Amino acid sequence: MSDLHFEALRAELEALDVPQGQARKMRWLAVPLAIGRTPSGDFEIFIRGAEVHASSPLVRRHLQHGDWRPEVGGEPFSASRIVLPAAPHFASVAALIAIELLRAGITAPHGPQPAFSDVEPIIEMAIRRGALPENVVIGLIGELTVLRQLLLTRTNRPTEMMRALEYWQGWQDGGRDFRFGDHAIEVKTTQSSISAHEFSGLHQLEPTILPSGAREQLHLLSIGLVASTSVGETLPAIVDSIIGLLSLSAAPEIVDEMLRRVSLYGSQSGGGYSHESMHGWGAYGTRYAHSFPPRLYRIDDPAMRLLDRELLSRTFVQPEGLAFTMHLPSQVSAFNPAPSWEVEIDAITQGLRGIPKG
């Protein structure tokens, strides 16, 4: 295809109507290749026939093979599907991928796999612009696990539910993941079976002096999440469960605000997760199960063996820009980590309401 053909195809894709209901708007480019739009406006690239296989883990997460209907009442067809976001510039990306697949010989008698393998690097680059990487996905699941627990203890109390949403600050760049008065929690997720976590700097483990003059009481919540084919939850599932809790007693605008904050989480690493349009994406269909019970550590415990600036001052190592990995034992001291992270967080938040702990 020439550049003129590319421009024409891009214009066609931009002009494809966003369908109502489940009726897709399709543009067939060859027997094995089509592009459609979903009801949320996303662009879908279909590679018809037997399942194609990706070598890139990222592309593999985005590939879905199944039977698809071009429109209501239309005959289903078997195809592998890749979904790209609805933003207008992704019409250009979809057009580029389609043209490169045609150039690579997707219509050849030996099937689409060789052409797909040739074009996979371009597909991977496009996906990196449209979806969150896996480490960000599990980080978000970890923080939403805490948010859901906060909401579970506040059902039928709209004011308290909104306050719980305000406790969550990890959707913003910088700062702590959760803040409760003088208390703060850094949530760290790992795909390991032990509490091994990466830190981007000493600040993540350094209590600060708060505007009130009080010293921050800092906690670290260690969560292990591993991909599973049978148990656990997907990111869309945990978001749906939070929507369900908020819908019980909170105003609709609180649900909207929660979804807005979820969509901003990790957006510097990709396009962010928009639940309304992305809940059906294959990239977010992986279930994650806990590899160990979550552990809530107190940072100010003298038994915590932490790197600090005073120690570094005796070396030639500069603290600025320092990144490191920390392996935490399952038991640091008698009450660290807390016997129950849920009970401990509830006790902290009860203290904020003036209710005696214990």
Side-chain angles (χ1 to χ4, degrees), residues 235-288:
L235 174 59
I238 194 168
V239 172
D240 279 335
S241 70
I242 291 173
I243 291 172
L245 287 170
L246 289 172
S247 299
L248 291 174
S249 58
E253 54 266 28
I254 296 181
V255 175
D256 293 340
E257 178 59 19
M258 187 277 294
L259 291 175
R260 184 186 75 84
R261 295 181 183 191
V262 167
S263 72
L264 293 173
Y265 183 93
S267 55
Q268 70 276 12
S269 302
Y273 172 70
S274 174
H275 186 65
E276 183 181 11
S277 61
M278 298 180 179
H279 67 276
W281 283 26
Y284 299 118
T286 303
R287 290 184 177 188
Y288 293 95

Side-chain angles (χ1 to χ4, degrees), residues 62-218:
H62 280 72
L63 270 177
Q64 292 175 287
H65 187 267
D67 291 332
W68 314 93
R69 286 189 181 277
E71 57 188 15
V72 174
E75 287 297 319
F77 60 95
S78 181
S80 298
R81 182 184 76 152
I82 297 168
V83 183
L84 300 175
H89 66 274
F90 277 99
S92 298
V93 176
L96 173 63
I97 292 172
I99 288 171
E100 291 303 316
L101 285 170
L102 290 168
R103 284 177 171 164
I106 196 172
T107 59
H110 45 258
Q113 182 65 56
F116 176 82
S117 297
D118 284 348
V119 181
E120 187 178 344
I122 297 175
I123 296 172
E124 182 175 19
M125 285 191 294
I127 288 172
R128 287 194 185 281
R129 296 289 298 170
L132 296 174
E134 188 175 29
N135 66 309
V136 178
V137 171
I138 66 169
L140 177 53
I141 291 174
E143 293 188 27
L144 292 180
T145 298
V146 180
L147 176 60
R148 179 170 60 185
Q149 178 61 32
L150 291 169
L151 294 172
L152 279 168
T153 60
R154 289 161 173 79
T155 53
N156 301 317
R157 298 201 303 257
T159 302
E160 289 293 319
M161 296 187 94
M162 187 62 203
R163 185 177 298 174
L165 185 59
E166 292 301 325
Y167 290 148
W168 180 39
Q169 299 182 10
W171 58 276
Q172 306 173 93
D173 290 339
R176 301 302 186 197
D177 296 324
F178 287 85
R179 184 168 293 284
F180 319 91
D182 295 346
H183 293 262
I185 295 177
E186 284 284 337
V187 180
K188 283 291 186 179
T189 56
T190 177
Q191 292 181 283
S192 173
S193 60
I194 61 173
S195 292
H197 301 286
E198 296 179 359
F199 293 83
S200 59
L202 290 177
H203 64 281
Q204 291 190 293
L205 292 169
E206 289 179 324
T208 62
I209 302 302
L210 301 172
S212 65
R215 183 176 176 82
E216 180 182 54
Q217 298 182 58
L218 183 58

Side-chain angles (χ1 to χ4, degrees), residues 200-202 309 312 317-323:
S200 59
L202 290 177
R309 293 177 193 272
L312 282 178
V317 178
Q318 297 297 309
E320 291 73 20
L322 180 67

Side-chain angles (χ1 to χ4, degrees), residues 15 53 59 102 116-117 131 139 142 220 224 228 265 298 308 314 335 345:
H53 299 280
V59 177
L102 290 168
F116 176 82
S117 297
L220 173 67
S228 171
Y265 183 93
R298 266 189 17 252
D308 60 30
R314 306 174 198 171
F335 296 98
I345 291 177

